[in-house]
Amino acid sequence: MLLEELKNKDIILASGSPRRKQLLQSLGIDFRIEKPEVSENYPPGLEREEIALYIAVKKAEAVIRGKDAGQIIIASDTIVCIDDRVLNKPAGREDAVQMLKQLSGNEHFVITAVCLADSRKMRSFFSETKVRFAELLDQEIEYYIDRYQPWDKAGAYGIQEWIGYTGIEWIEGSYFNVMGLPVQKLYDELKKFIKE
């Protein structure tokens, strides 16, 4: 069983996200946190999952430097895509309002990429979830932003918060992926990673 095999490993979550911490804890994996100090900028020309994969790998590379065998890094990045636009974390209140207005009444995709790394190898993968928002009133958008301040969330929303309960009509794919970590896929990929 994976949890037994991970007992002697030093698992490091390369993230400051409280949602990712909560989700990884829910898998029953013992880990510690090291927040990577990296820019989330990416080169022009990358599209959708390529962006999330690029940033996840960057985070893993920042934390894996100088680590010993037996240490496994889990790094992740989440982006929101609507049409050809990528919605990252909002720059402030007005940016968050505009993002939620774009998502209102529309479908979008949430893509979370994960990079697993140790001193010898690296494995990256991603998960994609389609999300449909109902039409949101301006007052609902402002209520949510003022109370939840979603500055650290791609697309300016958290599915596990008030706006997820009231505004999301349906999703196709992993709910946990929208929260920031596709835990079922991560569990499967970790099993492959430690056998390589």
Side-chain angles (χ1 to χ4, degrees):
M1 184 179 167
L2 177 65
L3 298 180
E4 288 296 318
E5 294 177 76
L6 291 177
K7 267 190 178 167
N8 299 322
K9 304 282 187 187
D10 180 18
I11 310 296
I12 301 167
L13 176 62
S15 175
S17 162
R19 276 93 44 205
R20 290 193 183 118
K21 178 184 175 187
Q22 174 196 348
L23 289 169
L24 195 55
Q25 283 172 332
S26 298
L27 278 182
I29 293 171
D30 291 324
F31 64 94
R32 60 191 176 90
I33 289 172
E34 247 183 73
K35 192 174 174 186
E37 296 300 325
V38 296
S39 151
E40 294 193 5
N41 294 332
Y42 50 87
L46 296 185
E47 295 179 8
R48 293 170 60 99
E49 68 273 4
E50 294 172 334
I51 295 167
L53 286 163
Y54 177 85
I55 296 171
V57 167
K58 239 170 107 169
K59 289 176 180 177
E61 287 172 343
V63 174
I64 196 67
R65 279 190 208 109
K67 296 291 189 284
D68 301 323
Q71 293 177 303
I72 298 174
I73 309 300
I74 301 172
S76 185
D77 189 66
T78 301
I79 62 169
V80 169
C81 300
I82 181 163
D83 302 322
D84 293 328
R85 298 185 305 279
V86 174
L87 305 182
N88 290 310
K89 295 169 184 169
R93 188 180 188 283
E94 192 48 44
D95 197 24
V97 167
Q98 290 310 312
M99 284 185 185
L100 289 174
K101 283 186 174 182
Q102 288 177 64
L103 297 177
S104 172
N106 288 311
E107 293 170 12
H108 64 276
F109 291 91
V110 178
I111 299 167
T112 297
V114 178
C115 180
L116 304 174
D118 64 18
S119 58
R120 298 176 298 111
K121 62 185 181 294
M122 210 173 251
R123 170 188 279 268
S124 299
F125 60 93
F126 71 93
S127 179
E128 183 176 276
T129 304
K130 188 192 263 190
V131 181
R132 166 80 188 187
F133 261 107
E135 292 283 350
L136 301 171
L137 300 173
D138 289 352
Q139 302 96 300
E140 291 169 331
I141 290 172
E142 287 165 13
Y143 173 89
Y144 171 70
I145 289 169
D146 291 340
R147 277 158 187 77
Y148 290 87
Q149 302 182 340
W151 320 133
D152 65 335
K153 296 176 177 73
Y157 80 92
I159 193 171
Q160 72 283 3
E161 295 174 341
W162 181 84
I163 204 156
Y165 302 139
T166 61
I168 292 177
E169 291 184 330
W170 53 261
I171 72 168
E172 200 175 282
S174 166
Y175 171 86
F176 301 110
N177 184 55
V178 185
M179 275 182 73
L181 200 61
V183 285
Q184 189 278 326
K185 195 162 187 177
L186 171 60
Y187 189 83
D188 277 354
E189 293 290 336
L190 270 169
K191 285 195 277 191
K192 296 172 194 168
F193 186 80
I194 61 173
K195 285 180 170 58
E196 286 176 337

